[in-house]
Amino acid sequence: MLTVFFCLSAVVVDGDTLRCANVADANGRVRLARIDAPERGETGFAEAGDALAAMIAGRQVRCELVDADPRINGFQERDRFGRPVARCATDQGDLGERLLARGHARRWP
């Protein structure tokens, strides 16, 4: 996989994960870097996903792969679920930073 790519036909899986038609690994899922959004069953789950969906609607999403877990020595290509981890943005800015600013996610780690 390229280190910088456009996430084609981006679809929201949850508040911190996208599915990209052009990503072959991990069922097309790409984890947004350095944030953690509520999981299914947690307060704010639907709101985080809806916010992310609104951010990407009708826009190109550009992603750059990063170290999946900076707490571990050496570059980690994938998270513990096998997903590539990336900083993704639209023409309106970094998706993770925007989710943080709106209170839909917290910084990770």
Side-chain angles (χ1 to χ4, degrees):
M1 176 180 288
L2 299 173
T3 57
V4 176
F5 62 96
F6 284 99
C7 177
L8 302 180
S9 302
V11 176
V12 171
V13 175
D14 60 27
D16 54 24
T17 309
L18 297 173
R19 180 174 286 125
C20 307
N22 57 318
V23 173
D25 301 325
N27 197 25
R29 293 177 183 202
V30 175
R31 175 83 157 76
L32 296 180
R34 310 300 178 262
I35 67 165
D36 187 30
E39 301 300 328
R40 187 175 309 281
E42 295 178 350
T43 302
F45 171 80
E47 294 82 359
D50 291 347
L52 183 55
M55 290 177 194
I56 67 169
R59 294 186 167 81
Q60 279 193 328
V61 178
R62 180 182 180 276
C63 298
E64 180 176 2
L65 295 178
V66 299
D67 186 0
D69 191 342
R71 301 172 302 177
I72 299 171
N73 261 352
F75 188 85
Q76 306 299 308
E77 292 186 9
R78 306 200 179 288
D79 71 3
R80 63 189 176 116
F81 299 107
R83 300 171 296 189
V85 177
R87 291 194 184 275
C88 297
T90 67
D91 60 340
Q92 305 224 319
D94 182 280
L95 298 173
E97 291 299 320
R98 293 174 65 203
L99 287 165
L100 288 167
R102 294 180 179 165
H104 295 296
R106 63 179 187 246
R107 288 212 183 272
W108 182 94

